[in-house]
DNA sequence: CTTGGGAGTTAGAATGATTCAAAATCTCAC
DNA sequence: GTGAGATTTTGAATCATTCTAACTCCCAAG
């Protein structure tokens, strides 16, 4: 079910970790593997449960730690919607999120550079933004798949 | 400190409540008054503390209830940022939020219709969105005031 | 080797925002 | 004035997340 990391993905992980002074550990590999295996914006709990199939001793706290580390070195993004549990997303390209009212599922929506630019342009002078979060909430006709 | 509602604002409150089958109560008036008096995106706790100056017996649960009711009848918007406490905003015009990294303060950013439109246009066919949340996170040069 | 230190992991307790449940109060139509 | 239904209150419960302290692992120095 959960494939091992490809050589390429393992290198990606290692490079990002080492670059920010962190180590590659079996737990981090497991968590990262889980994230890449099913890109459906899982919650911490979901990651935890999936990862335990592969590494039964893994603890919840470690999953929190790993994910925090990944966010810190830019490997994954957090996705928050209202006050629901934080979800995690390994899609690094600039994108927005669409949350389906009916299913709760989160879809990635590609964000063209010109739209991003027009968004930035609405900031008054003096405001300098590093992060822009865009999230839609509504209905997606079933069958739509955009979970990159 | 906390002024009474203007006639106009009181009517606005009453109309919105009645339209969705709710009653005007002293607690709801107090909470609404607090929201209008200082449009700085307060948390529930902040609303609670401010409102108690005017109505000492008011309970926290009631503040939660009132705010939920207001959101339900479109009087105010919730503003969530990461997993911090929910904040409340009586600005009904379409706008984005800018969260100042340094102070934690939230500023409203006007959202021109054409930008809104270009945002909507990135949704693939089949996706239909009622709500769009846009939030910036970064630094605002101090002195910037955009808290309406 | 073997020892010691630092990073990482673990289990479980603690936190804190929010929600829930049940009793008390209010309000308004009759 | 009465009763039903809505609202408010208090305090307990929930639940995601964070914290704490003990433990493990690995590597580098002796």
């Amino acid at each position: 079910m959960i494939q091992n990391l490809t050589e390429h993905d393992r290198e990606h992980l290692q490079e990002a970790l080492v670059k920010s002074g962190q180590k590659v550990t079996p737990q981090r590999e497991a968590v990262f593997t889980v994230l890449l295996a099913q890109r459906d914006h899982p919650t911490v709990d979901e990651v935890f449960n999936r990862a335990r199939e592969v590494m039964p001793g893994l603890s919840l706290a470690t999953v929190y730690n790993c994910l925090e580390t990944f966010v810190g070195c830019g490997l994954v993004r957090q996705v928050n919607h209202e006050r629901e549990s934080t979800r995690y997303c390994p899609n690094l390209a600039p994108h927005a999120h669409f949350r389906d009212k009916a299913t709760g599922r989160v879809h990635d929506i590609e964000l063209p550079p010109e739209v991003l630019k027009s968004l930035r342009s609405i900031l008054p002078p003096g405001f300098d933004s590093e992060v822009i979060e865009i999230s839609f909430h509504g209905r997606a006709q079933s069958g739509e798949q955009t979970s990159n």
Side-chain angles (χ1 to χ4, degrees), chain A:
Chain A
M1 183 132 299
I2 297 172
Q3 304 288 314
N4 284 335
L5 289 177
T6 63
E7 221 23 75
H8 172 268
D9 288 335
R10 171 172 284 112
E11 273 166 28
H12 179 39
L13 172 63
Q14 166 158 2
E15 185 195 323
L17 284 173
V18 169
K19 191 178 295 180
S20 47
Q22 317 269 359
K23 293 179 182 170
V24 180
T25 69
Q27 287 86 345
R28 286 175 180 167
E29 273 196 24
V31 170
F32 194 59
T33 304
V34 161
L35 285 179
L36 293 191
Q38 205 177 331
R39 295 162 157 264
D40 59 352
H41 306 86
T43 62
V44 175
D45 254 6
E46 286 163 348
V47 174
F48 179 49
N49 289 321
R50 292 175 196 173
R52 274 219 286 199
E53 287 171 21
V54 159
M55 181 180 276
L58 186 70
S59 84
L60 179 59
T62 299
V63 176
Y64 273 100
N65 291 339
C66 290
L67 291 170
E68 192 191 358
T69 302
F70 294 164
V71 170
C73 59
L75 276 171
V76 309
R77 273 175 63 180
Q78 284 186 323
V79 183
N80 287 291
H81 205 273
E82 322 239 293
R83 301 213 92 250
E84 290 173 7
S85 306
T86 299
R87 294 173 176 278
Y88 291 83
C89 162
N91 179 354
L92 296 171
H95 65 280
H97 290 112
F98 183 98
R99 176 122 174 315
D100 188 333
K101 218 176 195 169
T103 64
R105 219 169 304 172
V106 176
H107 303 269
D108 287 357
I109 304 290
E110 209 199 314
L111 192 55
E114 68 272 17
V115 173
L116 194 53
K117 209 170 128 219
S118 90
L119 259 180
R120 278 191 196 288
S121 76
I122 72 177
L123 285 177
F127 287 84
D128 210 0
S129 143
E130 295 147 33
V131 184
I132 308 185
E133 273 277 347
I134 303 163
S135 67
F136 299 89
H137 192 198
R139 306 198 170 278
Q141 274 159 38
S142 65
E144 305 297 340
Q145 287 295 342
T146 312
S147 59
N148 181 294

